[in-house]
């Protein structure tokens, strides 16, 4: 299979619904249960869609199915086509497709709960699913989410971002260490320590410090939980956005404001191209909630 041909001849609505269910569930068995079909029927329907498009949409090499790059690009188009059909035959019918919002570690910080509650009240017809995925784009480029809350610069091709707000940075230090006695810290206070860096979904690198005043060593981890564990064990210190203090408390870690570190931009990211129809409403609501806090 190479690239999808332009005609899509023979593609039916049932093919699209089966593909979208598999894309959402990441598993043929769960997709079949959601559609009220047998697993073999869903597998055959998905295979038929790929054959008619002339492209592989789903990578079946692992137990948890993942979309191929072509599948990721096709998913948004298929979702829009199904939504348009449903609206045409049953105007005003609530769309069953949830809006999946990814994040790597802190979501929207203090705005997360107000967002979820307000969205449920205003948009009950479109479930908002918050998914934590340890990945630099929180699953966005893999097609696991429709949009993602990201922090720091994002230079991934095909990803469009909008700045929602900025947040200060904090130092995370061992609760029983000498730095915990300070009410606030500066970057220079951390240079004598090893710095714990989350290289998968974190935003901090040694470039945060001036070239001639960088920490003595770095310890790399792959997720937020390991980052916290290393800091609590006294293996190093960490730097993160201020929302981490509220969303990831740890008995062995204290957070202190980092006075001279530049603020961290918080972004809403989406793939360039067709998007979930409720995404503009989500962006507007986030901006509204941020404004409430600043009023």
């Amino acid at each position: 299979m190479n690239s999808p041909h332009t005609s899509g001849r023979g593609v039916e609505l049932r093919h699209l619904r089966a593909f979208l269910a598999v894309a959402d569930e990441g598993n043929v068995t769960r997709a079949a249960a959601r559609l009220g079909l047998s697993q073999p029927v869903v597998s055959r329907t998905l295979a038929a869609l790929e054959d008619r498009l002339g492209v592989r949409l789903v990578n079946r090499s692992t137990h948890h199915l993942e979309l191929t790059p072509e599948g990721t690009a096709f998913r948004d188009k298929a979702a829009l086509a199904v939504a348009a059909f449903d609206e045409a035959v049953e105007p005003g019918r609530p769309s069953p497709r949830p809006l999946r919002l990814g994040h790597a570690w802190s979501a929207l910080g203090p705005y997360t709960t107000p967002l979820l509650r307000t969205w449920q009240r205003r948009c009950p017809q479109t479930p908002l699913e918050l998914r934590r995925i340890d990945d630099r784009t929180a699953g966005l480029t893999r097609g696991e989410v429709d949009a993602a809350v990201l922090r720091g610069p994002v230079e991934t091709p095909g990803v469009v971002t909008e700045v929602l707000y900025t947040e200060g940075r904090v130092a995370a230090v061992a609760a029983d260490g000498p730095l915990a006695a300070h009410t606030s810290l500066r970057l220079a206070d951390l240079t004598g320590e090893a710095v714990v860096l989350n290289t998968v979904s974190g935003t901090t690198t040694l470039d945060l410090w001036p070239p001639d005043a960088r920490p003595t060593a770095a310890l790399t981890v792959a997720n937020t939980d390991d980052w916290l564990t290393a800091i609590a064990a006294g293996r190093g210190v960490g730097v993160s956005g201020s929302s981490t203090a509220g969303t990831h408390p740890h008995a062995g870690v204290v957070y202190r404001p980092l006075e001279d570190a530049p603020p961290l931009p918080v972004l809403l990211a989406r793939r360039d191209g067709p998007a979930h129809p409720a995404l503009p409403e989500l962006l507007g609501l986030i901006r509204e909630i941020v404004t409430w806090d600043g009023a």
Side-chain angles (χ1 to χ4, degrees):
M1 295 184 179
N2 297 312
S3 59
H5 55 68
T6 56
S7 67
R9 186 173 302 159
V11 173
E12 302 173 14
L13 192 63
R14 62 186 180 88
H15 295 124
L16 301 183
R17 292 196 191 280
F19 166 68
L20 291 172
V22 171
D24 284 346
E25 300 293 342
N27 179 282
V28 174
T29 300
R30 290 195 299 270
R34 172 172 156 180
L35 295 168
L37 302 171
S38 69
Q39 181 177 337
V41 167
V42 173
S43 295
R44 288 196 299 269
T45 303
L46 177 61
L49 174 63
E50 292 178 320
D51 182 64
R52 293 173 192 190
L53 291 176
V55 65
R56 180 73 66 186
L57 300 173
V58 177
N59 182 357
R60 298 167 176 78
S61 62
T62 62
H63 177 70
H64 179 83
L65 302 182
E66 294 184 353
L67 298 184
T68 64
E70 294 82 5
T72 298
F74 183 70
R75 185 190 185 283
D76 292 330
K77 297 175 183 177
L80 287 174
V82 171
F85 174 85
D86 289 343
E87 177 64 22
V89 297
E90 293 186 54
R93 175 187 176 186
S95 171
R97 186 161 96 82
L99 174 55
R100 305 162 304 159
L101 182 62
H103 69 103
W105 31 279
S106 290
L108 285 162
Y111 307 119
T112 305
T113 298
L115 171 67
L116 295 176
R117 288 181 175 176
T118 307
W119 182 270
Q120 185 175 9
R121 186 174 67 252
R122 293 187 185 179
C123 309
Q125 75 283 1
T126 305
L128 178 58
E129 296 182 357
L130 196 62
R131 299 187 180 185
R132 177 183 165 187
I133 300 173
D134 281 306
D135 175 77
R136 182 64 190 100
T137 65
L140 184 63
T141 56
R142 301 203 303 260
E144 296 183 37
V145 296
D146 301 294
V149 178
L150 306 178
R151 285 168 169 78
V154 177
E155 299 175 353
T156 305
V159 172
V160 178
T161 62
E162 295 189 52
V163 177
L164 300 173
Y165 58 93
T166 61
E167 64 181 15
R169 301 196 198 220
V170 294
V173 302
D176 59 354
L179 292 176
H182 297 259
T183 57
S184 64
L185 294 166
R186 300 179 66 84
L187 288 169
D189 296 325
L190 308 181
T191 57
E193 309 286 337
V195 174
V196 185
L197 304 175
N198 179 350
T199 56
V200 175
S201 59
T203 59
T204 301
T205 68
L206 293 179
D207 291 335
L208 184 63
W209 286 264
D212 58 347
R214 287 177 177 168
T216 56
L219 171 67
T220 60
V221 296
N223 57 62
T224 304
D225 296 329
D226 290 346
W227 181 80
L228 288 166
T229 299
I231 295 168
R235 300 181 64 191
V237 299
V239 175
S240 188
S242 59
S243 59
T244 304
T247 55
H248 293 284
H250 191 290
V253 176
V254 296
Y255 298 94
R256 297 291 181 255
L258 204 48
E259 296 179 356
D260 57 344
L264 190 62
V266 181
L267 316 170
L268 185 69
R270 62 172 177 82
R271 292 183 296 276
D272 190 11
H276 192 291
L279 196 54
E281 195 164 2
L282 175 67
L283 178 60
L285 181 55
I286 293 174
R287 294 197 183 283
E288 182 179 339
I289 290 172
V290 171
T291 303
W292 294 345
D293 184 72

